[in-house]
Amino acid sequence: MDIKEKAFGYIDEHRDGMMKMWEELVMMDSGSGNKPGVDAIVAKVAGILEGMGGKTRIIEHENAGNMLVSEFGDCKNKPFVIFTGHLDTVFDDPETTKKRPFTIKDGTAYGPGALDMKGGVTLAIHALQALQSVGFDKYGVKVILAGDEEVGHKHSDFAGKMMEEAKGAAYAFNFETGFMDDSLVLARKGVYCFAMEAFGRGAHVGNAPEEGRSAIKELAYKILDIEALTDWSKGLNLNVGVIEGGTVHNSAPAYAKMIVDMRFTDPAMLEAMKAKFQEINDKVYVDGVTCKMTPVSLMQPMVELESSKELFELVKKVYEEEGFGSPKAITVGGGSDSAYTTMVGVPTVCAMGVKGGRNHTVDEFANVESLFMRAKLMCAVMLAL
């Protein structure tokens, strides 16, 4: 039996343990806004990695879920590979798991974060354990897990720390949610989110309608201006996803607020677009109404590197040789922390996690068998690097 077969054998022998870990992680409520919950799951995974021999550090954030770094082997004096992902979910209700516990039905797993992305974390850990079991030491491995990815690290300096940790890496694999058609991600759009508030003047619309200055009306004009900036040919799209304002139907609304989401492919677009948003903010449609912009979050684009294409070809070759399928390389609109490994020039393949769909919804699902397949894939890829 060769080294790869032994690693695959380890995965086969530990299927029950993998399922148990997956369930345990899903059943820990860790919505991005639930810092105690996120920190608890970070501490749990830190304990697992320490027990495997990892040199483990928890980087604490005051107003966001903590960050976890664990190093296996020599990550300073020899090439190393990054395994990365996140432990927070979009489900902030601390009672979510009571309402929707981890459940298996007809080979499919359900539960908050089962796909995005506690399945990916589970298979990454077990792939590393399988490699340890066969004495793999060609590369060091640095595990980097975020606690606030789903909110774009808006209350932490994770992005800068991630890039610092990634410098000098030979390769990076992000165990974000996988696709049912086996596609792997080489590029992602960036995400810039900001709020725009309008301040008008309230007035009774029956007794003194001419005295009112509608904040909602002002933003209505601005919504059209902002969404008109969408340019599909440049990979740029705008969405006003939240709007609120007013108090009662018979009063001119003195205040309104909207939250804008911008997706973009080129980091160079960001500052130019911010300038355009400022122009829209400053333009007055309703006399007497003023507006203010506030940044909410930023996740840079994952830029497709030539070296990432080469890494994908290796992954694809292994994928096909093992009979797991035939993946294609894709670009997607959703952001991930793969942006920060590519920003420092590390060849990166993303979406290496369990396969599934409908993440960020209550209908999120994950294919159970892909947990084991993708763990084996990662072992085979590491041996082939």
Side-chain angles (χ1 to χ4, degrees):
M1 184 181 294
D2 67 17
I3 189 170
K4 182 183 69 179
E5 291 174 333
K6 289 180 180 178
F8 284 11
Y10 181 94
I11 299 298
D12 290 335
E13 292 166 8
H14 290 81
R15 288 172 66 99
D16 290 345
M18 293 176 72
M19 292 300 298
K20 181 180 179 183
M21 181 183 292
W22 195 4
E23 179 176 9
E24 289 176 349
L25 296 185
V26 170
M27 290 302 293
M28 296 183 73
D29 286 303
S30 57
S32 302
N34 176 14
K35 178 171 169 58
V38 176
D39 290 351
I41 195 170
V42 167
K44 177 179 178 64
V45 174
I48 293 169
L49 295 172
E50 284 178 350
M52 293 165 55
K55 297 176 183 177
T56 304
R57 293 171 277 134
I58 292 178
I59 300 169
E60 296 188 357
H61 295 140
E62 183 177 355
N63 297 308
N66 292 337
M67 172 182 178
L68 172 60
V69 180
S70 190
E71 299 179 20
F72 294 82
D74 188 350
C75 294
K76 291 182 172 61
N77 303 307
K78 63 186 293 187
F80 66 94
V81 177
I82 292 171
F83 284 14
T84 189
H86 63 88
L87 287 164
D88 60 319
T89 74
V90 299
F91 306 104
D92 274 340
D93 183 353
E95 300 291 313
T96 301
T97 56
K98 290 184 179 179
K99 299 170 185 174
R100 293 190 296 109
F102 183 79
T103 306
I104 304 293
K105 183 179 180 181
D106 298 328
T108 302
Y110 301 91
L115 174 67
D116 192 6
M117 58 164 283
K118 294 176 179 180
V121 172
T122 300
L123 78 84
I125 290 172
H126 282 84
L128 185 52
Q129 289 178 346
L131 290 166
Q132 286 183 315
S133 75
V134 296
F136 176 84
D137 63 359
K138 183 177 180 181
Y139 292 94
V141 175
K142 183 182 286 191
V143 179
I144 305 173
L145 299 174
D148 62 339
E149 190 269 355
E150 294 290 11
V151 289
H153 313 297
K154 63 182 179 181
H155 297 306
S156 78
D157 57 351
F158 173 89
K161 286 184 166 59
M162 175 71 168
M163 287 190 284
E164 189 62 34
E165 294 287 349
K167 287 178 181 176
Y171 307 100
F173 297 95
N174 192 319
F175 293 87
E176 271 285 5
T177 60
F179 295 83
M180 289 301 291
D181 67 355
D182 295 298
S183 294
L184 298 173
V185 174
L186 296 192
R188 292 179 178 270
K189 288 185 177 182
V191 186
Y192 176 60
C193 181
F194 68 94
M196 187 178 289
E197 297 171 283
F199 304 88
R201 184 166 69 222
H204 193 290
V205 297
N207 296 334
E210 70 281 357
E211 294 182 10
R213 297 293 183 269
S214 173
I216 289 178
K217 184 177 180 180
E218 181 69 25
L219 288 192
Y221 283 107
K222 288 173 163 50
I223 288 170
L224 297 177
D225 289 344
I226 286 171
E227 296 211 352
L229 295 173
T230 292
D231 187 338
W232 298 110
S233 69
K234 295 181 179 178
L236 176 69
N237 58 289
L238 282 298
N239 179 64
V240 178
V242 176
I243 185 162
E244 57 189 53
T247 53
V248 292
H249 70 87
N250 57 0
S251 177
Y255 174 80
K257 175 183 178 180
M258 63 180 173
I259 301 177
V260 184
D261 179 295
M262 178 180 77
R263 304 287 162 139
F264 61 109
T265 56
D266 183 354
M269 292 179 178
L270 183 59
E271 292 308 314
M273 292 304 298
K274 283 183 179 180
K276 290 183 179 181
F277 298 146
Q278 190 65 53
E279 289 177 8
I280 292 171
N281 179 85
D282 296 343
K283 184 175 181 179
V284 178
Y285 285 99
V286 179
D287 184 44
V289 177
T290 59
C291 291
K292 180 180 76 172
M293 285 196 316
T294 307
V296 174
S297 63
L298 169 65
M299 184 169 284
Q300 291 285 358
M302 176 192 180
V303 177
E304 184 174 275
L305 306 175
E306 286 299 319
S307 56
S308 296
K309 294 179 185 179
E310 295 172 5
L311 180 58
F312 167 76
E313 289 301 326
L314 182 145
V315 175
K316 180 180 180 181
K317 182 174 182 290
V318 172
Y319 217 113
E320 292 174 343
E321 287 178 348
E322 298 302 331
F324 295 147
S326 184
K328 60 182 178 181
I330 61 172
T331 297
V332 296
S336 88
D337 290 331
S338 294
Y340 304 113
T341 52
T342 59
M343 284 179 71
V344 293
V346 180
T348 304
V349 174
C350 193
M352 294 285 289
V354 292
K355 301 185 338 183
R358 299 179 190 153
N359 42 326
H360 291 199
T361 76
V362 296
D363 299 316
E364 175 182 18
F365 70 90
N367 175 266
V368 171
E369 198 58 36
S370 70
L371 179 75
F372 314 114
M373 179 273 279
R374 285 284 178 92
K376 290 180 179 179
L377 171 68
M378 198 61 238
C379 290
V381 167
M382 290 290 286
L383 293 170
L385 289 175

